[in-house]
């Protein structure tokens, strides 16, 4: 089978909240100094790679990471609204340790059940459901070599859709700041498939996941 798309999926570089271990969903922060260095290291690693287009979350940290990597490519950007990070409601801006202490019961349910919603926010199941339309748009596009810049929960949701995993399974994959993953999409020989039913009829291979070797010397 011929490879019809190669999709490189990137999590944004670190922000001040990532550096301080604070919970961050819809809070729209730029990259920290460390996050900028991470993005520059990824830029240098991907300098010689060929890409056709960049899809990205409209949030600052994702787009800033995309801009830095794109310094070597000068590609067009396509924002996808549904690629915004998970809405973590009442937990926004709090320390992980505080959330576990103050909201122990709901946190314990949320961490093991992808359908449980954060108070005032979303569940992982919600995220994987809403990113599906963006994944379908990308798979139906005419672009071959694609860069996507997203977030931890969003990228897990993209993984789940690409490989037809349940949210309970896809949420278990570790994703580091400025780590990247690669999907290979093979030719779909079924020509009569409707647009919204496309994913189950594609053969998608995960070539690598959460590559971080370029970040080893960044503190």
């Amino acid at each position: 089978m011929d490879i019809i798309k190669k999709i490189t999926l990137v999590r944004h570089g670190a922000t001040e909240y990532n550096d301080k271990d604070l919970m961050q969903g819809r809070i729209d922060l730029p990259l920290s100094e460390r996050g900028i260095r991470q993005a520059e290291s990824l830029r240098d690693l991907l300098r010689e790679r060929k890409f056709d287009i960049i899809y990205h979350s409209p949030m600052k940290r994702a787009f800033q990471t995309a801009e830095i990597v794109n310094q070597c490519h000068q590609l067009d950007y396509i924002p996808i609204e549904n690629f915004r990070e998970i809405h973590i409601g009442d937990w926004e801006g709090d320390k992980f340790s505080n959330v576990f202490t103050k909201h122990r019961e709901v946190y314990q349910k949320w961490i093991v059940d992808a359908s449980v919603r954060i108070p005032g926010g979303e569940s992982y199941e919600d995220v994987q459901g809403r990113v599906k339309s963006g994944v379908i748009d990308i798979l139906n596009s005419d672009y071959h070599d694609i860069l996507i810049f997203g977030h931890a929960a969003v990228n897990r949701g993209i993984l789940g859709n690409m490989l037809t995993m349940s949210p309970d399974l896809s949420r278990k994959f570790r994703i580091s700041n400025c780590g990247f993953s690669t999907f290979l999409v093979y030719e779909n020989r079924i020509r009569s498939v409707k647009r919204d039913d496309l994913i189950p009829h594609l053969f998608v291979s995960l070539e690598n996941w959460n590559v971080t070797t370029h970040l080893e010397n960044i503190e």
Side-chain angles (χ1 to χ4, degrees), residues 158-165 173 183 199 204-206:
I158 292 171
L159 168 78
N161 278 289
M162 294 285 286
L163 300 185
T164 61
M165 290 180 178
F173 284 72
F183 298 89
I199 294 175
V204 180
S205 174
L206 184 63

Short mmCIF file of all heavy atoms in Angstrom, two decimals, residues 158-165 173 183 199 204-206:
data_model
loop_
_atom_site.label_atom_id
_atom_site.label_comp_id
_atom_site.label_asym_id
_atom_site.label_seq_id
_atom_site.Cartn_x
_atom_site.Cartn_y
_atom_site.Cartn_z
N ILE A 158 -6.49 13.11 19.30
CA ILE A 158 -6.14 12.88 17.89
C ILE A 158 -5.64 11.45 17.71
O ILE A 158 -6.03 10.75 16.77
CB ILE A 158 -5.10 13.91 17.43
CG1 ILE A 158 -5.72 15.31 17.40
CG2 ILE A 158 -4.53 13.53 16.06
CD1 ILE A 158 -4.73 16.43 17.15
N LEU A 159 -4.77 11.01 18.61
CA LEU A 159 -4.28 9.62 18.58
C LEU A 159 -5.46 8.65 18.62
O LEU A 159 -5.53 7.70 17.82
CB LEU A 159 -3.36 9.38 19.78
CG LEU A 159 -2.99 7.93 20.07
CD1 LEU A 159 -1.92 7.44 19.11
CD2 LEU A 159 -2.51 7.77 21.52
N GLY A 160 -6.40 8.89 19.55
CA GLY A 160 -7.53 7.98 19.68
C GLY A 160 -8.36 7.90 18.41
O GLY A 160 -8.80 6.82 18.02
N ASN A 161 -8.57 9.05 17.77
CA ASN A 161 -9.33 9.05 16.52
C ASN A 161 -8.56 8.39 15.38
O ASN A 161 -9.12 7.61 14.61
CB ASN A 161 -9.70 10.48 16.14
CG ASN A 161 -10.93 10.98 16.87
OD1 ASN A 161 -12.04 10.54 16.62
ND2 ASN A 161 -10.72 11.89 17.82
N MET A 162 -7.28 8.70 15.27
CA MET A 162 -6.48 8.14 14.18
C MET A 162 -6.39 6.62 14.26
O MET A 162 -6.41 5.92 13.24
CB MET A 162 -5.07 8.74 14.21
CG MET A 162 -5.00 10.23 13.90
SD MET A 162 -5.22 10.61 12.16
CE MET A 162 -3.65 10.07 11.51
N LEU A 163 -6.29 6.09 15.48
CA LEU A 163 -6.11 4.64 15.65
C LEU A 163 -7.37 3.97 16.17
O LEU A 163 -7.32 2.81 16.57
CB LEU A 163 -4.94 4.37 16.60
CG LEU A 163 -3.57 4.91 16.17
CD1 LEU A 163 -2.49 4.47 17.16
CD2 LEU A 163 -3.21 4.46 14.76
N THR A 164 -8.50 4.68 16.14
CA THR A 164 -9.80 4.18 16.60
C THR A 164 -9.71 3.53 17.98
O THR A 164 -10.23 2.43 18.20
CB THR A 164 -10.43 3.21 15.57
OG1 THR A 164 -9.58 2.07 15.37
CG2 THR A 164 -10.66 3.90 14.24
N MET A 165 -9.07 4.23 18.89
CA MET A 165 -8.96 3.81 20.29
C MET A 165 -10.08 4.44 21.11
O MET A 165 -10.55 5.53 20.80
CB MET A 165 -7.64 4.27 20.90
CG MET A 165 -6.40 3.60 20.41
SD MET A 165 -4.98 4.32 21.30
CE MET A 165 -3.66 3.33 20.60
N PHE A 173 -1.45 7.59 27.09
CA PHE A 173 -0.18 7.80 26.40
C PHE A 173 0.48 9.09 26.90
O PHE A 173 -0.13 10.15 26.89
CB PHE A 173 -0.40 7.87 24.88
CG PHE A 173 -0.64 6.54 24.25
CD1 PHE A 173 -1.83 5.85 24.45
CD2 PHE A 173 0.34 5.96 23.44
CE1 PHE A 173 -2.05 4.61 23.87
CE2 PHE A 173 0.13 4.72 22.86
CZ PHE A 173 -1.06 4.04 23.07
N PHE A 183 2.43 9.73 12.36
CA PHE A 183 1.46 8.77 11.84
C PHE A 183 1.67 8.62 10.34
O PHE A 183 1.91 9.60 9.63
CB PHE A 183 0.03 9.26 12.06
CG PHE A 183 -0.36 9.44 13.49
CD1 PHE A 183 -0.16 10.64 14.15
CD2 PHE A 183 -0.96 8.40 14.19
CE1 PHE A 183 -0.53 10.82 15.47
CE2 PHE A 183 -1.34 8.55 15.51
CZ PHE A 183 -1.13 9.77 16.15
N ILE A 199 -12.52 7.42 8.77
CA ILE A 199 -11.45 6.94 9.65
C ILE A 199 -11.41 5.42 9.77
O ILE A 199 -10.34 4.81 9.63
CB ILE A 199 -11.55 7.61 11.03
CG1 ILE A 199 -11.25 9.11 10.90
CG2 ILE A 199 -10.58 6.97 12.01
CD1 ILE A 199 -11.44 9.89 12.19
N VAL A 204 -3.92 3.20 9.40
CA VAL A 204 -3.02 4.22 9.97
C VAL A 204 -2.01 3.51 10.86
O VAL A 204 -2.37 2.71 11.73
CB VAL A 204 -3.79 5.27 10.78
CG1 VAL A 204 -2.83 6.31 11.34
CG2 VAL A 204 -4.85 5.93 9.92
N SER A 205 -0.75 3.83 10.66
CA SER A 205 0.34 3.24 11.44
C SER A 205 1.00 4.33 12.28
O SER A 205 1.26 5.43 11.79
CB SER A 205 1.37 2.61 10.50
OG SER A 205 2.50 2.15 11.22
N LEU A 206 1.29 4.02 13.53
CA LEU A 206 2.02 4.94 14.41
C LEU A 206 3.51 4.64 14.27
O LEU A 206 3.99 3.62 14.76
CB LEU A 206 1.56 4.77 15.85
CG LEU A 206 2.15 5.74 16.88
CD1 LEU A 206 1.76 7.18 16.57
CD2 LEU A 206 1.72 5.35 18.28
#
